[in-house]
Each structure stands twice: as structure tokens, then as C-alpha cells.
Amino acid sequence: MLIQCLNGLVYGALLFSLASGLALMFGLRRIVNFSHGALYMLGAYLGYSIATKLGFWPALVLSALALAGLGALLDAAVFRPLQDRDPLIILLVTFGLALIAEDVVQTIWGNDTHSLAMPALLAGIVELPGSSFPVYRIAIIAFGLLVAGGLSLWLKFSRVGLFVRAASFNPTLAAIQGVDTDRVSLMVVAVGAALAGASGVVAAPILSLAPSMAADILVDSFIVVVVGGLGSLTGAFITALILGQINVLGIVFAPEFTALLPFVIMVGVLIWKPTGLAGNRV
Amino acid sequence: MTPLLHYDAVEACYGHAQILHGTSFSVDKGASVAILGRNGVGKTTVVNTLFGIARLTGGTIRLAGKPLTRPRPYSAARAGVSVVIQGRGILQNLTVRENLLLGAATRRRGPWNLQRVYELYPVLQERADAPGTALSGGQQQMLALGRGLMANPDLLVLDEPSEGLAPVIVDELAVVLNRLRAEGTTILLIEQNLSLVERVAEDFFVLSKGRIVDQGKIAATGRAELQKHIAI
Ligand SMILES: Nc1ncnc2c1ncn2[C@@H]1O[C@H](COP(=O)(O)OP(=O)(O)OP(=O)(O)O)[C@@H](O)[C@H]1O
Ligand SMILES: [Mg+2]
């Protein structure tokens, strides 16, 4: 039981690191980025290739940096030019980009599943009362907490964080005060993409890499963002933890409903509170 | 002398609806100018054109002689124009202090900083950590003006700042605006409240249906004459 809860936390931590990026992007650009799962997948595959040459830690850093660059490009080339158009267009374009990314990954890395070796430093096992748990999985939980803590400190206390909060609440009002909302958005999309890439690398040692990994986690991340309240980090954090637990416990107690349960919860929350758990604010 | 702000035959639209039909006026450095006009004649559209919220479709806007091409919402602030927008535009998810700091987004240097704004309006310091919209209407107007000053603007634009304020609060606003004027701040005041206009502005322009239809010196124009341009 304890192990299940811990595994739920592991999945929750990964979900949050992805969903936080999605939430921030939605807050600033009011866009739904269907390519977010693809960024996560690209991060994982890039990390895999880098790790085979340089090891895990350089792979984590370089992959996150590469994805930050890709995120900046995505914002400048796609989100910004399309921001005043029908939101459906961005949705379709990012969906298309996700398909392209999947194809690119299949072309470069093939259809076989790969796996990335975890760093030796975290390869151990901790003894818990009655069972044991891999250190690496605890490190993933710590990674999620680090992302949550880092993001909230950044938003609360930095100058750019103030601009991000202002712009997510009302982009025009923020811009009228002189905030270059395009630059802030570029930065936020880059950070979100870097987090997605880093999550991919972090998840790679416990999952097998396959082109389908993008779609699997994307759906759950969207549910986290929607249920948490579009654009809200606190809401996303709480929802990611809950969804992580549901996902793992559900498999134990009600395997036939687990796949549906997140959707049921999403619909329930949206009926009860259409703005999500935390309303619409970062 | 090149004016600080110059509208030359400006045309502006929301979608296909044209609101400004060749609006021309200018504000010199150090001046205090009012734009008068009835409800819905396009006064706010004059500022919205600076932000690109209303689309500039003809004519030119110059800031210190430089044409403003492709205006974006942040262009005005970056060019040294602080606008206290109609309705004040306080962000409710930011504290009073954070709203003020947002005003310094452009990092322009000058006499104004958090400390000086707090000296001007001590109540803002007392309520520094309250959400911006928890303040009373009058205090929110102080916050909006303080935030505008945080940008150390060359030109301060106020769109109907007296709207919704009690007369005694409007009196206080007049005192502060006159103090700013005396310190050399250039002011463009969009107003329907003549008692404020008469105390703060020297020159006026009258906007009607998107055109300037009259202009002059406040001191040389009687209240009845001014009233005629505003009353329905
Ligand atoms: N965002 C907008 N989109 C479309 N039309 C608008 C928009 N804002 C204003 N208008 C229209 O433009 C015209 C001028 O509006 P504007 O707000 O400039 O008037 P105003 O002189 O500032 O009025 P008030 O004294 O009520 O503030 C009005 O007919 C208004 O309905
Ligand atoms: Mg108006």
C-alpha cells in the first residue's frame, strides 16, 4: 500500500512537471499546446542518445537546454504569429507538430523501445517497513517538488515572475505597463519546454522509450491543467498528486475503471466549478 | 520645438468600425492639455490607438518626433508615455506593492521609485501587501497614478481619472496633478469633469465623433462654453 502511494507520487511528480509548463503557456498565450507531450518525448530520446555518450547528468542538462531552444522557436514561429487567430488553429498546428515529432523520432531512433540507464548515484534501494523502494523513484518525487518549489519562488519573488503573473492575469494590462509580453511568453514557453524535456529524461529510466509515450502522458497532463484551473500552478500541483494516486491505486482496486476515472473527475469538477479547483490564476 | 505627442490626422478602427476620423492635436513638453468630449466620441480610442488596441489605419502618431509604427500595447510605456487607463486597470492577483513594481517594468530612470510613491500616498504603504483591488475607489486611483509615475514618464496620460470618485477625492487628485505639473511632468488629461480640468489643464481640445472640433486656452474660455462640449 505504501509502495503504491509512493508510485502514485512518482507519477504525480512527472505529471506536475509537464502540466506546470502547459499551465504557464496557457496562462500567457491562452493556447492549448498539443505538442507538449512530443517535447517530453523528444527530451527523453535526446537524453537517451546523449546519455549513451556522456552519461545521465549531462544528458539531463543538455536535453533540457535543447528543448528550451526548441520551445523558444515554437513560441516565435508558431504561438506568436497565431496568437490573435482562432485558438482552434494553434490546437491543430501543435497537433500536427506532435505527429511530425513522432515521425522524426521513429525515423531517427526506430520503433524499438530503448531504455536509459539511471545514474549510479541513485541506483540503490531504500528499505521501508515490510518492503523496499528504489532510490531513483524517490529522486523523481524530489524532482517534482524541486520543480514546484523553484517555479513558485521564481513567480513570487523575481522580476520576470511578477511579469508572468501579471501577464497571465491580463496580458493587455501587463503590456500597457511596459511589460514586453512577447518576450515574457518566449521565456515561459522555453521554460515549459525545458521542463517537459527534463521530465522526459527523468522518466526515461523507469519507462521504456517509445514514440507512443507522448500521447499517453499528454492526456493526463491536460486533465491536470483543466481540473487544476487553467493557468494555475497550485491547482495543477494538487491535481497532479491526486491523479497520480488515482492512477496507481485504481489499477489495484478497480482496474477496469482506471482509464476512465480521470475523465469522470474532470467532467465532475468542470460541472461543479467550471474554472477548475483554483480558478484562473497563476 | 517638436511636441512630445503629436496626432496627425489619425484614423483608427476596431475591426471594421472606424472611430477616429482624422484626429489631430499635440501636446508640448511641460504642457498640461485636456481632451474633452461626450460619452462615446472616441476619447478612450485616442489612447487605445497608442496601444494598438484600436488599429491605426491612417495618419501618424509621433512621440517626441518619432513616428509610432505598428503600435503594440507596450510601445507607449517603452516610449515614455504612462497611461492611467479608464477604470484604472489594477491587477487583482497582485498586491498593491506588486502593482506599483509592475509600473517600473520599463526600467526608465528618474525621480520616481517605490519610496517616493509611498511618500506621496502613505496609504499605499500601509496597504502594501493587500490585493490591489481590495482598496477603495479613491485609493485605487492613487495606486493607478502611483504606478504610472513608477515608470518615470515623459508624458502622463489620464483617462477620466475622476470617474466614480467623491468630490473631495477629486480635489486631492487636482492638488497632486498640479504638484506633478510644477515638477515638470507633462500631462494629457481626458476628462468630463470640468472642475478638475479647470484646475489642472491650460489648453483643451474638444473631440466629437472622432474629430477635434474645437480647441483653446482653458483660462480664456468660460465654463458655459466648455460645458456645451460635454453636456449631452
Ligand atoms: N474594444 C472595442 N471594440 C469595438 N468598439 C469599441 C471598443 N471600444 C469602444 N468601442 C466603440 O467606439 C466608440 C468610442 O468609444 P470610446 O471608448 O473611445 O469613447 P469615450 O469617448 O472614451 O467614451 P466614455 O466617455 O464613455 O469613456 C463607441 O461607440 C464604442 O462603442
Ligand atoms: Mg472613455
Side-chain angles (χ1 to χ4, degrees):
Chain A
M1 185 66 192
L2 175 64
I3 299 298
Q4 306 299 348
C5 286
L6 283 174
N7 275 324
L9 283 179
V10 170
Y11 187 59
L14 284 175
L15 267 185
F16 174 74
S17 338
L18 270 186
S20 58
L22 271 180
L24 285 175
M25 289 181 196
F26 181 85
L28 264 119
R29 286 281 196 216
R30 295 290 185 271
I31 49 140
V32 178
N33 176 22
F34 261 87
S35 65
H36 210 65
L39 297 174
Y40 161 84
M41 171 187 67
L42 283 173
Y45 274 94
L46 263 179
Y48 161 76
S49 285
I50 299 172
T52 50
K53 299 213 167 52
L54 301 173
F56 179 85
W57 300 109
L60 180 61
V61 173
L62 293 176
S63 180
L65 286 178
L67 266 290
L70 194 61
L73 189 70
L74 188 66
D75 187 69
V78 180
F79 297 166
R80 186 177 169 183
L82 296 179
Q83 65 180 342
D84 298 325
R85 308 284 286 276
D86 188 336
L88 198 61
I89 295 182
I90 290 218
L91 201 141
L92 291 173
V93 169
T94 55
F95 188 69
L97 287 174
L99 295 179
I100 293 172
E102 204 169 300
D103 235 44
V104 166
V105 163
Q106 278 175 11
T107 312
I108 300 180
W109 285 281
N111 264 328
D112 301 340
T113 57
H114 298 278
S115 74
L116 197 158
M118 64 183 65
L121 184 66
L122 302 173
I125 277 184
V126 271
E127 293 301 329
L128 296 172
S131 55
S132 60
F133 197 70
V135 172
Y136 188 76
R137 289 183 177 243
I138 293 178
I140 295 184
I141 300 174
F143 168 75
L145 291 176
L146 207 70
V147 169
L151 280 179
S152 50
L153 289 178
W154 178 59
L155 287 173
K156 184 84 190 134
F157 295 111
S158 78
R159 192 179 147 82
V160 176
L162 174 68
F163 298 166
V164 172
R165 279 183 294 144
S168 334
F169 182 74
N170 186 326
T172 311
L173 278 187
I176 283 175
Q177 300 307 319
V179 175
D180 185 338
T181 37
D182 289 326
R183 239 178 60 198
V184 172
S185 298
L186 187 94
M187 220 177 300
V188 161
V189 176
V191 167
L195 283 177
S199 314
V201 180
V202 165
I206 62 164
L207 302 172
S208 47
L209 301 190
S212 63
M213 66 190 287
D216 295 344
I217 200 157
L218 183 67
V219 174
D220 281 356
S221 313
F222 272 130
I223 294 178
V224 166
V225 173
V226 172
V227 171
L230 292 166
S232 158
L233 279 189
T234 320
F237 185 72
I238 296 167
T239 315
L241 292 185
I242 297 173
L243 211 62
Q245 294 303 327
I246 288 176
N247 201 286
V248 173
L249 296 180
I251 290 174
V252 177
F253 294 113
E256 60 275 30
F257 293 124
T258 309
L260 269 181
L261 208 52
F263 293 97
V264 173
I265 291 178
M266 177 168 78
V267 171
V269 167
L270 289 182
I271 290 172
W272 167 59
K273 212 176 160 217
T275 50
L277 293 179
N280 180 9
R281 58 163 71 174
V282 166
Chain B
M1 190 173 66
T2 28
L4 208 47
L5 178 67
H6 182 58
Y7 273 57
D8 186 12
V10 166
E11 296 174 14
C13 302
Y14 298 110
H16 293 294
Q18 185 169 353
I19 308 295
L20 300 186
H21 303 267
T23 305
S24 301
F25 67 92
S26 57
V27 181
D28 288 331
K29 189 166 160 46
S32 179
V33 174
I35 293 183
L36 311 174
R38 294 171 192 175
N39 285 318
V41 294
K43 301 186 299 299
T44 298
T45 306
V46 168
V47 287
N48 279 349
T49 312
L50 277 180
F51 303 140
I53 294 174
R55 204 158 33 89
L56 180 65
T57 51
T60 23
I61 300 176
R62 287 173 204 279
L63 293 167
K66 266 183 67 183
L68 185 69
T69 45
R70 293 202 61 234
R72 302 273 299 146
Y74 44 77
S75 317
R78 307 218 136 202
V81 180
S82 274
V83 183
V84 176
I85 63 168
Q86 189 168 10
R88 296 167 195 134
I90 304 301
L91 286 110
Q92 84 182 56
N93 67 330
L94 302 185
T95 64
V96 169
R97 187 170 159 277
E98 288 170 337
N99 266 285
L100 287 172
L101 289 175
L102 190 62
T106 52
R107 287 189 201 255
R108 290 171 55 86
R109 292 182 178 282
W112 290 99
N113 53 36
L114 205 53
Q115 203 45 51
R116 273 210 64 196
V117 172
Y118 284 159
E119 280 162 24
L120 178 67
Y121 291 129
V123 66
L124 295 183
Q125 184 162 26
E126 286 157 27
R127 306 292 311 275
D129 293 319
T133 45
L135 302 181
S136 71
Q139 290 167 349
Q140 284 190 36
Q141 187 57 62
M142 294 175 193
L143 177 55
L145 178 53
R147 185 175 63 181
L149 293 172
M150 287 288 287
N152 285 299
D154 297 331
L155 170 66
L156 183 63
V157 182
L158 301 109
D159 190 357
E160 305 211 32
S162 76
E163 202 175 39
L165 299 186
V168 5
I169 313 270
V170 177
D171 292 345
E172 286 170 21
L173 181 63
V175 171
V176 169
L177 290 180
N178 274 322
R179 209 187 107 187
L180 295 175
R181 266 193 64 193
E183 289 169 11
T185 310
T186 310
I187 293 178
L188 175 61
L189 178 63
I190 298 172
E191 256 302 347
Q192 306 198 52
N193 181 326
L194 284 184
S195 85
L196 181 61
V197 168
E198 284 170 339
R199 276 179 288 173
V200 173
E202 274 168 8
D203 305 286
F204 70 90
F205 292 90
V206 176
L207 189 67
S208 177
K209 293 183 189 154
R211 286 187 186 82
I212 298 296
V213 294
D214 198 3
Q215 68 184 83
K217 292 267 174 212
I218 296 277
T221 315
R223 165 71 74 109
E225 178 78 8
L226 292 176
Q227 191 71 44
K228 194 180 74 192
H229 294 305
I230 294 171
I232 313 297

